Amino acid sequence: MDLTPGCLGNLREMALSAYRWNSFDPEKRAEEDIAFYERQLLQDLEEIPEEKKAQYIESYKSRLSSLFASKSRCANAMVTGPAKFNFRQNEKRENAYWNKYEEFNAWRERFLAAMKRAQEEARPVEEKQEEAVRLLLEDLEQKAETIHDLDTGKLKGYHRALFVSSIYNKVATYASHGEVEIVQRAVDFITEFNSKVKKPVITARNRFFQLPEVAVRMREKLHARKNEENKEAAFEGGKVVWNHEADRLQILFDNIPDDDTRKNLKSNGFRWSPKHKAWQRQ
């Protein structure tokens, strides 16, 4: 498996053909394209697991070959000469090429996004939790410092209550997902911050300090829900599944839904899950 510069050398002739009728210097354009796509391919491979690289390279070359072939059907009247030049036909071929180009880039984005999701799912739970805690505490520290600056007069022109509400809502989201450890770390952080300042950024009476209990109850509720049996309801062309283990409402179609159906699904919060082969939402 060639992962070095020059790995697309076998496509140079196709690149040359792509510009033979639409460039005054097809050799230069071909070399520029090959160099560009080689850099792109090598950059993409840095984000792809080893076991998926061969598959990606094969698909990349195949799609790039198709792109070059489409470009080779396009011409430029300045290059070929205007005599008997079929402008209408060439316009259709140019449109076909740009459609191919957009499809190529859309495929890359989908593939790389799928690899990123897979890598994220494969990360240890403890690692993902620590990352979430780090980001959360950084955000809380920034907001707590802002509240303190408002309390001490160092900062003016902002509503204190908005920052308190923002802290509460952020941590409450984790509580609603049963993330007991993360919520407790957040509450401990604010408690420690309060101990270092004259005026607490969040008072002890605030419901913020009840969030660990909320998180515990939600975890118990979610655990009980996961043990429930999934429910299904069939409809013409597919079925709806209440997947308690995944905590998702899923719609599985027998065939790929049309554009209007997909737009309606997205507008109602459903997203395509390659893992479950379903449109789903929480």
Side-chain angles (χ1 to χ4, degrees):
M1 182 169 58
D2 190 359
L3 304 182
T4 61
C7 57
L8 297 182
N10 61 330
L11 298 183
R12 277 189 170 81
E13 188 59 39
M14 291 196 70
L16 180 62
S17 297
Y19 291 105
R20 186 164 284 126
W21 302 113
N22 51 63
S23 174
F24 288 109
D25 194 346
E27 291 84 2
K28 181 180 178 181
R29 290 297 306 273
E31 288 298 327
E32 289 175 345
D33 266 22
I34 290 296
F36 170 81
Y37 286 114
E38 281 182 347
R39 288 194 302 271
Q40 185 181 76
L41 175 57
L42 293 172
Q43 289 171 0
D44 290 352
L45 290 172
E46 292 178 1
E47 304 177 31
I48 297 175
E50 195 65 37
E51 65 274 12
K52 292 287 186 178
K53 286 182 178 179
Q55 174 191 347
Y56 186 76
I57 291 172
E58 182 179 354
S59 296
Y60 189 98
K61 288 184 175 181
S62 174
R63 291 171 183 273
L64 184 57
S65 297
S66 179
L67 189 62
F68 284 150
S70 181
K71 186 66 175 176
S72 69
R73 290 189 283 273
C74 303
N76 187 315
M78 297 293 291
V79 176
T80 64
K84 298 182 179 180
F85 188 85
N86 192 328
F87 288 93
R88 189 170 183 179
Q89 182 185 66
N90 193 64
E91 182 180 11
K92 290 182 179 179
R93 291 176 175 177
E94 286 283 357
N95 289 337
Y97 165 75
W98 285 111
N99 287 336
K100 282 276 187 185
Y101 181 80
E102 291 176 1
E103 289 173 7
F104 176 77
N105 285 307
W107 165 77
R108 282 185 60 244
E109 291 174 3
R110 288 196 305 271
F111 194 103
L112 294 175
M115 293 300 98
K116 191 172 183 178
R117 286 195 303 270
Q119 289 175 340
E120 181 63 24
E121 291 175 0
R123 288 174 61 195
V125 174
E126 296 79 7
E127 183 181 320
K128 288 191 282 189
Q129 191 176 70
E130 276 303 312
E131 177 71 5
V133 169
R134 183 184 65 79
L135 294 174
L136 175 62
L137 295 186
E138 286 178 359
D139 184 65
L140 296 190
E141 182 177 21
Q142 184 180 32
K143 289 183 171 65
E145 290 286 359
T146 301
I147 295 171
H148 178 59
D149 287 345
L150 289 169
D151 290 343
T152 57
K154 292 181 181 179
L155 186 65
K156 296 181 180 180
Y158 296 93
H159 293 288
R160 185 186 196 279
L162 292 178
F163 291 96
V164 174
S165 178
S166 178
I167 290 175
Y168 174 84
N169 291 335
K170 192 108 178 182
V171 180
T173 298
Y174 285 101
S176 69
H177 294 155
E179 299 283 1
V180 177
E181 294 79 12
I182 295 178
V183 172
Q184 190 61 59
R185 292 274 294 273
V187 170
D188 290 344
F189 175 83
I190 294 298
T191 300
E192 184 180 356
F193 194 97
N194 281 345
S195 69
K196 298 176 182 178
V197 295
K198 186 175 181 180
K199 180 180 179 180
V201 293
I202 300 179
T203 64
R205 298 188 303 274
N206 193 292
R207 55 181 180 161
F208 171 81
F209 292 97
Q210 299 172 8
L211 288 177
E213 298 173 13
V214 174
V216 170
R217 291 196 298 271
M218 184 54 67
R219 173 175 286 184
E220 293 172 350
K221 182 178 179 180
L222 291 173
H223 181 71
R225 185 184 298 172
K226 285 183 178 180
N227 291 328
E228 294 181 24
E229 290 187 8
N230 292 343
K231 296 180 182 179
E232 297 183 3
F235 63 88
E236 186 176 353
K239 64 181 178 180
V240 177
V241 177
W242 285 262
N243 190 327
H244 296 295
E245 183 177 359
D247 191 26
R248 293 292 184 270
L249 175 64
Q250 300 173 328
I251 303 179
L252 291 82
F253 294 92
D254 295 337
N255 299 298
I256 298 175
D258 57 35
D259 288 340
D260 288 340
T261 301
R262 293 199 297 272
K263 288 178 182 177
N264 286 332
L265 287 166
K266 291 178 182 178
S267 66
N268 285 282
F270 285 88
R271 294 294 180 268
W272 171 250
S273 169
K275 178 181 178 180
H276 294 102
K277 305 298 181 184
W279 288 87
Q280 63 181 27
R281 58 171 292 176
Q282 192 169 18

PDB file of all heavy atoms in Angstrom, residues 225-238:
ATOM      1  N   ARG A 225     -34.591   1.883  32.601  1.00  0.00           N
ATOM      2  CA  ARG A 225     -35.151   1.961  31.253  1.00  0.00           C
ATOM      3  C   ARG A 225     -34.396   1.042  30.296  1.00  0.00           C
ATOM      4  O   ARG A 225     -34.988   0.426  29.409  1.00  0.00           O
ATOM      5  CB  ARG A 225     -35.090   3.402  30.752  1.00  0.00           C
ATOM      6  CG  ARG A 225     -35.757   3.609  29.402  1.00  0.00           C
ATOM      7  CD  ARG A 225     -35.568   5.039  28.931  1.00  0.00           C
ATOM      8  NE  ARG A 225     -36.194   5.985  29.840  1.00  0.00           N
ATOM      9  CZ  ARG A 225     -36.035   7.304  29.741  1.00  0.00           C
ATOM     10  NH1 ARG A 225     -35.267   7.812  28.787  1.00  0.00           N
ATOM     11  NH2 ARG A 225     -36.643   8.108  30.595  1.00  0.00           N
ATOM     12  N   LYS A 226     -33.073   0.957  30.459  1.00  0.00           N
ATOM     13  CA  LYS A 226     -32.273   0.113  29.576  1.00  0.00           C
ATOM     14  C   LYS A 226     -32.649  -1.352  29.691  1.00  0.00           C
ATOM     15  O   LYS A 226     -32.448  -2.135  28.773  1.00  0.00           O
ATOM     16  CB  LYS A 226     -30.780   0.306  29.876  1.00  0.00           C
ATOM     17  CG  LYS A 226     -30.201   1.598  29.356  1.00  0.00           C
ATOM     18  CD  LYS A 226     -28.716   1.694  29.625  1.00  0.00           C
ATOM     19  CE  LYS A 226     -28.133   2.979  29.066  1.00  0.00           C
ATOM     20  NZ  LYS A 226     -26.680   3.105  29.322  1.00  0.00           N
ATOM     21  N   ASN A 227     -33.153  -1.741  30.859  1.00  0.00           N
ATOM     22  CA  ASN A 227     -33.517  -3.128  31.077  1.00  0.00           C
ATOM     23  C   ASN A 227     -34.905  -3.455  30.515  1.00  0.00           C
ATOM     24  O   ASN A 227     -35.324  -4.607  30.532  1.00  0.00           O
ATOM     25  CB  ASN A 227     -33.474  -3.454  32.574  1.00  0.00           C
ATOM     26  CG  ASN A 227     -32.044  -3.434  33.099  1.00  0.00           C
ATOM     27  OD1 ASN A 227     -31.107  -3.755  32.382  1.00  0.00           O
ATOM     28  ND2 ASN A 227     -31.875  -3.057  34.365  1.00  0.00           N
ATOM     29  N   GLU A 228     -35.614  -2.424  30.051  1.00  0.00           N
ATOM     30  CA  GLU A 228     -36.922  -2.667  29.448  1.00  0.00           C
ATOM     31  C   GLU A 228     -36.745  -3.264  28.051  1.00  0.00           C
ATOM     32  O   GLU A 228     -35.742  -3.015  27.381  1.00  0.00           O
ATOM     33  CB  GLU A 228     -37.709  -1.361  29.337  1.00  0.00           C
ATOM     34  CG  GLU A 228     -38.107  -0.744  30.671  1.00  0.00           C
ATOM     35  CD  GLU A 228     -38.900   0.530  30.466  1.00  0.00           C
ATOM     36  OE1 GLU A 228     -39.518   0.681  29.388  1.00  0.00           O
ATOM     37  OE2 GLU A 228     -38.907   1.378  31.380  1.00  0.00           O
ATOM     38  N   GLU A 229     -37.732  -4.020  27.624  1.00  0.00           N
ATOM     39  CA  GLU A 229     -37.687  -4.600  26.287  1.00  0.00           C
ATOM     40  C   GLU A 229     -38.002  -3.527  25.247  1.00  0.00           C
ATOM     41  O   GLU A 229     -38.848  -2.657  25.475  1.00  0.00           O
ATOM     42  CB  GLU A 229     -38.697  -5.745  26.159  1.00  0.00           C
ATOM     43  CG  GLU A 229     -38.318  -6.987  26.956  1.00  0.00           C
ATOM     44  CD  GLU A 229     -39.263  -8.148  26.666  1.00  0.00           C
ATOM     45  OE1 GLU A 229     -40.088  -8.005  25.744  1.00  0.00           O
ATOM     46  OE2 GLU A 229     -39.166  -9.155  27.357  1.00  0.00           O
ATOM     47  N   ASN A 230     -37.307  -3.582  24.118  1.00  0.00           N
ATOM     48  CA  ASN A 230     -37.587  -2.643  23.041  1.00  0.00           C
ATOM     49  C   ASN A 230     -38.986  -2.876  22.480  1.00  0.00           C
ATOM     50  O   ASN A 230     -39.477  -4.011  22.457  1.00  0.00           O
ATOM     51  CB  ASN A 230     -36.562  -2.793  21.916  1.00  0.00           C
ATOM     52  CG  ASN A 230     -35.178  -2.338  22.338  1.00  0.00           C
ATOM     53  OD1 ASN A 230     -35.033  -1.630  23.333  1.00  0.00           O
ATOM     54  ND2 ASN A 230     -34.169  -2.747  21.593  1.00  0.00           N
ATOM     55  N   LYS A 231     -39.605  -1.817  22.022  1.00  0.00           N
ATOM     56  CA  LYS A 231     -40.933  -1.917  21.410  1.00  0.00           C
ATOM     57  C   LYS A 231     -40.821  -1.531  19.942  1.00  0.00           C
ATOM     58  O   LYS A 231     -40.001  -0.686  19.577  1.00  0.00           O
ATOM     59  CB  LYS A 231     -41.917  -0.991  22.123  1.00  0.00           C
ATOM     60  CG  LYS A 231     -42.164  -1.350  23.588  1.00  0.00           C
ATOM     61  CD  LYS A 231     -43.142  -0.375  24.222  1.00  0.00           C
ATOM     62  CE  LYS A 231     -43.367  -0.697  25.690  1.00  0.00           C
ATOM     63  NZ  LYS A 231     -44.305   0.272  26.332  1.00  0.00           N
ATOM     64  N   GLU A 232     -41.639  -2.155  19.128  1.00  0.00           N
ATOM     65  CA  GLU A 232     -41.630  -1.873  17.697  1.00  0.00           C
ATOM     66  C   GLU A 232     -43.041  -1.638  17.191  1.00  0.00           C
ATOM     67  O   GLU A 232     -44.003  -2.192  17.731  1.00  0.00           O
ATOM     68  CB  GLU A 232     -41.002  -3.032  16.913  1.00  0.00           C
ATOM     69  CG  GLU A 232     -39.535  -3.290  17.229  1.00  0.00           C
ATOM     70  CD  GLU A 232     -38.962  -4.389  16.366  1.00  0.00           C
ATOM     71  OE1 GLU A 232     -39.701  -4.902  15.483  1.00  0.00           O
ATOM     72  OE2 GLU A 232     -37.784  -4.742  16.547  1.00  0.00           O
ATOM     73  N   ALA A 233     -43.135  -0.790  16.158  1.00  0.00           N
ATOM     74  CA  ALA A 233     -44.420  -0.553  15.497  1.00  0.00           C
ATOM     75  C   ALA A 233     -44.154  -0.463  14.001  1.00  0.00           C
ATOM     76  O   ALA A 233     -43.384   0.394  13.555  1.00  0.00           O
ATOM     77  CB  ALA A 233     -45.068   0.729  16.009  1.00  0.00           C
ATOM     78  N   ALA A 234     -44.764  -1.371  13.265  1.00  0.00           N
ATOM     79  CA  ALA A 234     -44.533  -1.406  11.824  1.00  0.00           C
ATOM     80  C   ALA A 234     -45.426  -0.398  11.107  1.00  0.00           C
ATOM     81  O   ALA A 234     -46.521  -0.076  11.561  1.00  0.00           O
ATOM     82  CB  ALA A 234     -44.799  -2.809  11.292  1.00  0.00           C
ATOM     83  N   PHE A 235     -44.921   0.133  10.005  1.00  0.00           N
ATOM     84  CA  PHE A 235     -45.712   0.974   9.115  1.00  0.00           C
ATOM     85  C   PHE A 235     -45.332   0.601   7.690  1.00  0.00           C
ATOM     86  O   PHE A 235     -44.330  -0.106   7.478  1.00  0.00           O
ATOM     87  CB  PHE A 235     -45.480   2.469   9.390  1.00  0.00           C
ATOM     88  CG  PHE A 235     -44.076   2.929   9.137  1.00  0.00           C
ATOM     89  CD1 PHE A 235     -43.668   3.373   7.880  1.00  0.00           C
ATOM     90  CD2 PHE A 235     -43.136   2.915  10.166  1.00  0.00           C
ATOM     91  CE1 PHE A 235     -42.377   3.800   7.660  1.00  0.00           C
ATOM     92  CE2 PHE A 235     -41.834   3.343   9.952  1.00  0.00           C
ATOM     93  CZ  PHE A 235     -41.458   3.780   8.689  1.00  0.00           C
ATOM     94  N   GLU A 236     -46.095   1.047   6.723  1.00  0.00           N
ATOM     95  CA  GLU A 236     -45.821   0.686   5.336  1.00  0.00           C
ATOM     96  C   GLU A 236     -44.474   1.266   4.908  1.00  0.00           C
ATOM     97  O   GLU A 236     -44.290   2.470   4.864  1.00  0.00           O
ATOM     98  CB  GLU A 236     -46.924   1.224   4.416  1.00  0.00           C
ATOM     99  CG  GLU A 236     -46.771   0.761   2.972  1.00  0.00           C
ATOM    100  CD  GLU A 236     -47.920   1.215   2.089  1.00  0.00           C
ATOM    101  OE1 GLU A 236     -48.899   1.769   2.625  1.00  0.00           O
ATOM    102  OE2 GLU A 236     -47.823   1.004   0.864  1.00  0.00           O
ATOM    103  N   GLY A 237     -43.517   0.389   4.650  1.00  0.00           N
ATOM    104  CA  GLY A 237     -42.201   0.829   4.222  1.00  0.00           C
ATOM    105  C   GLY A 237     -41.157   0.865   5.313  1.00  0.00           C
ATOM    106  O   GLY A 237     -40.037   1.306   5.095  1.00  0.00           O
ATOM    107  N   GLY A 238     -41.516   0.359   6.522  1.00  0.00           N
ATOM    108  CA  GLY A 238     -40.520   0.359   7.590  1.00  0.00           C
ATOM    109  C   GLY A 238     -41.113   0.099   8.959  1.00  0.00           C
ATOM    110  O   GLY A 238     -42.207  -0.440   9.082  1.00  0.00           O
TER     111      GLY A 238
END
